């Protein structure tokens, strides 16, 4: 079955530590996205990539980093510079302009 | 400020009742997307609207985009507990632009 896999589903980290969230897709989509979801704020775009080895900042990129070395993979690193990292993180992919995005099941990150 | 406003923020209905969720933009949209989300899970695509006045239906859910392409409504007929969840609208301002999302509408359907 084709789809997007995010792992792990739950992640706990101590403040000051970097943490990497995994996102893998087997849909052969060119574009991949990372969103952050907080209660009452909808989805906010962190980073996106429309092609391998290229990515752009979204609306809230500060404190995050990404890489796109393979078409299938788009990992997100939450660095210690992110002031409020506890949130639900969603990865998505799309195969062309204006087509609907496909979403993974999310990773809930808790930093204490 | 939010580019997309959704209303209401939350909705509680009795099973069997009809309901409507709205999504409004101050600017003309290129495309409007409706998604459903169960708490703690990913978003499931429902429908996409691109033409002014367009209307699409799937089972008991109907989505419409107004002629000006600034407002969309999602209507559920004879609601069921399985319709419960968070409904989000997403929109593209121009062809190929990334999606922005509304804050979502939390729907509860009581048996």
């Amino acid at each position: 079955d084709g789809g997007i896999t995010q792992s792990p589903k739950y992640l706990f980290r101590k403040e000051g530590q970097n943490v990497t969230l995994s996102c893998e897709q087997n849909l052969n989509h060119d574009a991949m996205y990372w969103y952050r979801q907080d209660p009452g704020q909808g989805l906010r775009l962190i980073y996106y990539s429309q092609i391998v080895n290229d990515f752009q900042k979204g609306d809230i990129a500060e404190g995050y980093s990404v890489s796109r070395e393979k078409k299938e993979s788009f990992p997100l690193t939450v660095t210690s510079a992110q002031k409020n990292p506890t949130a639900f993180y969603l990865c998505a992919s799309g195969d062309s302009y204006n087509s609907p995005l496909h979403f993974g099941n999310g990773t809930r990150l808790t930093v204490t | 400020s939010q580019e997309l406003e959704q209303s209401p923020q939350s909705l509680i209905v009795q099973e069997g009742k009809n309901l409507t969720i709205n999504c409004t933009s101050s600017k003309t949209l290129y495309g409007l997307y409706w998604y459903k989300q169960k708490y703690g899970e990913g978003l499931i695509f429902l429908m996409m609207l691109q033409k002014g006045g367009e209307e699409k239906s799937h089972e008991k859910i109907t989505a419409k985009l107004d002629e000006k392409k600034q407002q969309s409504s999602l209507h559920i007929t004879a609601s069921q507990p399985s319709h419960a969840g968070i409904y989000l609208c997403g929109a593209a301002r121009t062809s190929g632009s990334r999606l922005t999302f509304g804050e979502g509408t939390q729907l509860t359907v009581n048996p």
Side-chain angles (χ1 to χ4, degrees):
Chain A
D1 289 337
I4 301 178
T5 301
Q6 288 188 244
S7 60
K9 188 168 180 62
Y10 299 97
L11 194 52
F12 299 88
R13 279 295 181 270
K14 294 289 186 183
E15 193 173 318
Q17 294 179 334
N18 292 352
V19 61
T20 297
L21 282 60
S22 171
C23 178
E24 303 276 334
Q25 55 102 355
N26 61 3
L27 300 167
N28 199 33
H29 287 169
D30 286 319
M32 296 187 74
Y33 306 79
W34 274 106
Y35 288 91
R36 170 180 171 142
Q37 187 176 31
D38 295 282
Q41 294 195 47
L43 273 65
R44 293 182 290 168
L45 183 63
I46 305 173
Y47 267 99
Y48 63 105
S49 167
Q50 294 179 318
I51 196 168
V52 175
N53 292 322
D54 188 40
F55 48 82
Q56 286 78 41
K57 293 182 178 180
D59 300 318
I60 55 165
E62 185 176 350
Y64 299 97
S65 66
V66 293
S67 63
R68 187 84 186 279
E69 296 177 1
K70 298 186 299 182
K71 188 176 186 178
E72 306 80 25
S73 179
F74 192 39
L76 173 75
T77 296
V78 184
T79 75
S80 57
Q82 168 50 232
K83 294 179 181 177
N84 189 18
T86 294
F88 188 56
Y89 291 87
L90 286 160
C91 178
S93 70
D95 62 355
S96 65
Y97 287 150
N98 309 319
S99 64
L101 297 184
H102 296 252
F103 283 82
N105 277 330
T107 292
R108 187 166 298 280
L109 173 65
T110 302
V111 177
T112 58
Chain B
S1 63
Q2 282 288 338
E3 295 185 21
L4 290 176
E5 296 284 341
Q6 275 189 247
S7 63
Q9 287 187 326
S10 64
L11 192 54
I12 302 174
V13 300
Q14 205 66 31
E15 183 176 359
K17 295 295 185 184
N18 302 338
L19 63 104
T20 299
I21 299 168
N22 294 301
C23 177
T24 302
S25 171
S26 59
K27 301 179 181 179
T28 300
L29 303 170
Y30 182 81
L32 192 289
Y33 303 76
W34 282 101
Y35 289 86
K36 179 185 176 184
Q37 182 184 29
K38 292 286 190 181
Y39 180 77
E41 298 181 8
L43 278 65
I44 303 299
F45 170 71
L46 295 175
M47 277 173 275
M48 176 176 72
L49 304 165
Q50 283 190 296
K51 298 177 183 177
E54 187 174 11
E55 178 176 322
K56 288 187 177 178
S57 294
H58 177 66
E59 297 180 342
K60 295 185 178 181
I61 301 177
T62 300
K64 300 178 185 179
L65 183 62
D66 74 337
E67 291 289 342
K68 290 185 178 180
K69 296 174 66 175
Q70 288 184 265
Q71 183 168 357
S72 178
S73 61
L74 186 81
H75 183 78
I76 298 177
T77 303
S79 58
Q80 301 169 345
S82 61
H83 287 127
I86 301 170
Y87 289 82
L88 296 103
C89 62
R93 183 66 50 74
T94 60
S95 175
S97 65
R98 64 230 177 107
L99 294 188
T100 56
F101 287 86
E103 294 179 354
T105 295
Q106 174 79 55
L107 172 64
T108 303
V109 181
N110 291 324

